[in-house]
Amino acid sequence: MNQYYQNILDFQDQIKFYLDCIFKTYGKELVLRLEEYNLLQNKYNCIESSTAIGFILEEFIVSKLEMFTHCDESTKYKIDRFDGATSSESFDCFSINDNDCKFLINIKTEKKGSSNNGIAAITQLHKNYCLDDPEQEKSFVLFKILYSIGEATEDSEKKRAKPRHIHIDGIESYCLEEVDFSKEHKQDNRSWSDIGTGDAENARKKKNSGRLMISREFKENHKVDESEISYKNTFEMLQKLIEENK
């Protein structure tokens, strides 16, 4: 048995359970309001087609996970934020459990009918996973929140109109350690600034500024054998990737 991988699977199950509890509190229907006005009520609003909802959902989830796990002394995993802007890191929050593995948590959202395969800028991912405290065993875990926009309907039982809302359709998760990107990988060409330099022009010239992309198909076709899943294995794949991209 690969204990490292078993710990990751347990962590995923626990966080998905916490998320499910949070979403069930709201009946899996989230209303986006500002000064009591539902910003999604008009179907031609400018928010729905932008990336704004993704950022809003990510902030909502991280905040709720942090509160949820710190309010219950029996909670197995405490979720914490790091100091600084999330845009400077490859993950949104983290957790360190009793066996000293540090889980780097990346929250993604995906609207029904679209796909969101971006993980993080390779430079950022390498920095957080390999350069920051390299002796600390880590796991990079992704939670993808699937959502759709629910149309306003009439609740015949309560005789009231239900507002347009964000409907939570499901939760998917996996860890980066499960994916073999040693022989090939996919990435985009986003223009990220170099870590610590702010040199956007120089960043545009570097492949490592792009985001690592992992689709469901790529993940399915590039599985690491369970016995080989480890922090060291993924550490080495990232080191190799960043060197070959230069």
Side-chain angles (χ1 to χ4, degrees):
M1 176 186 293
N2 185 333
Q3 191 58 53
Y4 170 79
Y5 185 46
Q6 288 301 314
N7 290 338
I8 296 173
L9 294 178
D10 180 71
F11 177 75
Q12 289 182 67
D13 288 342
Q14 287 294 315
I15 299 304
K16 286 168 80 172
F17 172 75
Y18 299 155
L19 287 170
D20 197 46
C21 289
I22 290 167
F23 291 138
K24 281 181 178 178
T25 301
Y26 302 93
K28 297 188 178 181
E29 296 178 355
L30 306 177
V31 179
L32 183 60
R33 291 193 177 101
L34 180 64
E35 292 287 357
E36 301 305 317
Y37 177 71
N38 180 2
L39 296 175
L40 300 179
Q41 192 61 37
N42 189 315
K43 65 171 59 180
Y44 302 109
N45 68 82
C46 62
I47 296 174
E48 200 168 318
S49 60
S50 72
T51 57
I53 290 182
F55 287 116
I56 291 167
L57 272 177
E58 287 170 21
E59 176 60 29
F60 173 82
I61 291 163
V62 172
S63 296
K64 287 294 184 180
L65 277 176
E66 186 178 30
M67 288 188 287
F68 188 92
T69 58
H70 280 269
C71 286
D72 184 358
E73 291 299 322
S74 65
T75 300
K76 189 172 183 179
Y77 299 101
K78 304 289 187 186
I79 305 301
D80 293 295
R81 292 174 180 265
F82 53 87
D83 296 330
T86 57
S87 60
S88 65
E89 311 295 335
S90 62
F91 61 101
D92 300 294
C93 51
F94 67 93
S95 179
I96 300 178
N97 69 350
D98 293 338
N99 63 23
D100 293 328
C101 180
K102 183 175 183 179
F103 295 103
L104 307 180
I105 304 168
N106 189 316
I107 305 293
K108 294 293 180 186
T109 62
E110 183 175 284
K111 187 178 179 181
K112 185 177 182 179
S114 65
S115 61
N116 183 3
N117 300 325
I119 306 303
I122 295 169
T123 326
Q124 293 174 324
L125 188 56
H126 176 258
K127 170 185 176 293
N128 294 143
Y129 200 91
C130 302
L131 302 183
D132 294 347
D133 196 6
E135 299 304 314
Q136 167 76 67
E137 187 175 65
K138 306 180 187 74
S139 174
F140 194 89
V141 188
L142 297 99
F143 293 92
K144 183 176 288 187
I145 311 303
L146 311 176
Y147 76 94
S148 54
I149 301 300
E151 293 296 329
T153 58
E154 182 179 325
D155 188 326
S156 58
E157 182 182 346
K158 297 182 180 179
K159 302 298 182 185
R160 63 181 176 86
K162 295 180 70 175
R164 292 186 89 238
H165 56 270
I166 302 169
H167 188 271
I168 305 302
D169 297 319
I171 305 166
E172 295 179 354
S173 71
Y174 69 94
C175 64
L176 188 61
E177 292 77 19
E178 294 174 308
V179 184
D180 184 355
F181 51 93
S182 60
K183 298 180 179 63
E184 64 173 339
H185 76 283
K186 295 183 182 296
Q187 68 178 80
D188 67 6
N189 297 308
R190 279 195 169 187
S191 299
W192 293 84
S193 295
D194 283 344
I195 298 296
T197 69
D199 189 349
E201 182 60 30
N202 190 39
R204 277 193 287 271
K205 300 176 183 177
K206 293 186 176 181
K207 288 184 179 180
N208 287 323
S209 299
R211 293 181 304 169
L212 182 65
M213 308 290 285
I214 299 178
S215 64
R216 292 179 180 88
E217 181 182 13
F218 186 92
K219 179 162 63 71
E220 185 64 28
N221 294 331
H222 297 76
K223 291 182 178 180
V224 175
D225 186 270
E226 183 176 332
S227 63
E228 300 296 321
I229 293 175
S230 69
Y231 171 58
K232 181 176 181 292
N233 185 48
T234 301
F235 184 106
E236 291 174 350
M237 282 194 285
L238 281 172
Q239 289 278 46
K240 179 183 176 183
L241 172 58
I242 207 154
E243 286 298 322
E244 291 180 348
N245 261 353
K246 286 182 179 179

